[in-house]
Amino acid sequence: MKIVVCIKQVPDTNEVRLDPKTGTLIRDGVPSIINPDDKAGLEAALRLKDEYGAHVTVITMGPPQAKVALQEAYAMGADRVILLTDRVFAGADTLATSTTIAAALKKLDFDLVITGRQAIDGDTAQVGPQIAEHLNLPQISYVSAYEHHGDHAIVKRSFEDGFQKIKVSYPCLITALSELNEARYMSIKGLLDAHRILEIETWGFADIDADVERMGLKGSPTKVKKSFTKGAKQAGKIVEGTPKELAIAIVDKLHEKFII
C-alpha cells in the first residue's frame, strides 16, 4: 500500500498578531508548526504503515524553510519527503496550490492520498477536495475514523449533527479531522536521522508537468485584500416568560433575522 500525505507548515495561530495599520499578519518571531489536521492525517498513514507495511510519502509546498515540517514528518516515521518550492509557486491561492500539488502527485504512485480538512491559517477546506478533482479521484472529507479493508476503506465522515459511514475503493483521497487520532511524538532515532542523513527531495516547476499560467499568483483567481480580527459580539438578551412565550419570542427573532 502506498500513501501520500499532503501537509502544510503554518504559523501557530496562538502567537499570530495583525499589523493594525496594514491589516496583514506579523510573521516575524511566530513559531511554525505542522497544520493540526494534516498531522492527524500523517498519523493515520503511519498507523497503516505499522499495521500493514504501507509506504508513506509526505509532500508539502512552501518556501525552503518548510523543510522543517518535513524533517518532523520523517522523524515521526515517514519513508520519503518531498518539498515543492519555486518562485513560480509563490502567491498561490487554493486553486493554484491544488493545481501544483496535483501535478506533483501525478509523478507518484499511490493508493491513498491524505490531506487535512483545512489549514488553520486559511480555514478554506478547499485544497484537499480540489486535488481530488484535478486527479479525478473519489474523495471523502471530514474523516474522523478510518478502517483499511484490502482493496477498500470504511470511513466515518462527521458533521455537526451526525455522521456518515462510507465505503470507498482505492485509489482515493480523504481529508482528515484533527480528532481522527492523536499524533505520535518524533522518535529520538528519527529526529537524529532527520538532521544527519535525511536528504529532502526538492522539486521545482521544471520537475512537474504543469502550465505556468495556472501556478502561483498568475493562476490565482482570488486575492487576499486584508486580514482582520473578529469584532466583539453584541451582548445577549435575556427573555423571560412561560415556555410558550419563550418559543414565540425565539420564532419571532428568527423571522426578524430572515433565518426562517
Side-chain angles (χ1 to χ4, degrees):
M1 185 180 190
K2 296 179 180 179
I3 305 172
V4 178
V5 183
C6 303
I7 68 171
K8 184 180 182 182
Q9 186 186 55
V10 296
D12 187 339
T13 52
N14 292 321
E15 304 290 337
V16 166
R17 294 172 293 122
L18 293 178
D19 186 314
K21 293 183 178 179
T22 65
T24 58
L25 293 176
I26 300 174
R27 294 179 179 267
D28 293 343
V30 178
S32 295
I33 60 174
I34 295 177
N35 182 58
D37 286 350
D38 302 350
K39 204 166 187 178
L42 173 57
E43 175 62 26
L46 295 176
R47 292 186 185 187
L48 289 170
K49 175 182 176 179
D50 294 341
E51 190 168 355
Y52 301 103
H55 182 278
V56 178
T57 298
V58 177
I59 189 167
T60 190
M61 187 179 103
Q65 57 264 35
K67 69 179 183 181
V68 175
L70 294 175
Q71 289 174 326
E72 182 177 350
Y74 185 82
M76 289 172 64
D79 299 293
R80 181 184 182 187
V81 294
I82 301 170
L83 173 63
L84 291 174
T85 187
D86 197 304
R87 289 187 179 276
V88 174
F89 305 154
D93 67 357
T94 60
L95 181 60
T97 296
S98 64
T99 299
T100 304
I101 295 174
L105 293 181
K106 288 179 181 179
K107 297 174 61 68
L108 301 172
D109 293 326
F110 57 81
D111 302 294
L112 174 64
V113 177
I114 303 177
T115 75
R117 166 195 52 175
Q118 62 189 37
I120 58 174
D121 62 345
D123 288 341
T124 64
Q126 294 174 353
V127 173
Q130 287 174 346
I131 291 172
E133 287 298 311
H134 291 313
L135 298 177
N136 196 28
L137 291 174
Q139 59 174 290
I140 302 176
S141 56
Y142 294 80
V143 172
S144 60
Y146 186 94
E147 299 175 6
H148 172 66
H149 295 276
D151 63 348
H152 68 276
I154 302 293
V155 303
K156 179 180 177 181
R157 185 171 188 249
S158 294
F159 304 93
E160 290 183 0
D161 58 349
F163 66 89
Q164 297 173 330
K165 209 165 187 179
I166 302 173
K167 175 181 176 181
V168 59
S169 297
Y170 298 122
C172 65
L173 180 147
I174 67 168
T175 73
L177 296 175
S178 57
E179 53 263 38
L180 175 60
N181 49 52
E182 185 174 346
R184 67 191 66 188
Y185 291 105
M186 296 177 283
S187 70
I188 297 299
K189 181 182 183 303
L191 191 58
L192 292 173
D193 288 347
H195 288 84
R196 290 179 179 177
I197 66 173
L198 174 63
E199 293 185 8
I200 296 175
E201 294 182 52
T202 301
W203 293 4
F205 174 72
D207 299 299
I208 60 176
D209 184 13
D211 181 358
V212 69
E213 296 299 321
R214 299 178 63 198
M215 306 280 105
L217 199 58
K218 281 186 177 181
S220 299
T222 56
K223 305 290 187 293
V224 177
K225 184 176 181 181
K226 184 179 180 181
S227 299
F228 53 90
T229 56
K230 291 182 179 179
K233 291 184 178 180
Q234 294 182 350
K237 180 180 180 181
I238 298 176
V239 180
E240 297 180 349
T242 66
K244 183 177 180 179
E245 290 171 339
L246 295 176
I248 292 173
I250 291 172
V251 172
D252 288 344
K253 181 59 68 174
L254 293 174
H255 279 298
E256 180 185 325
K257 298 293 184 181
F258 301 101
I259 296 174
I260 61 172

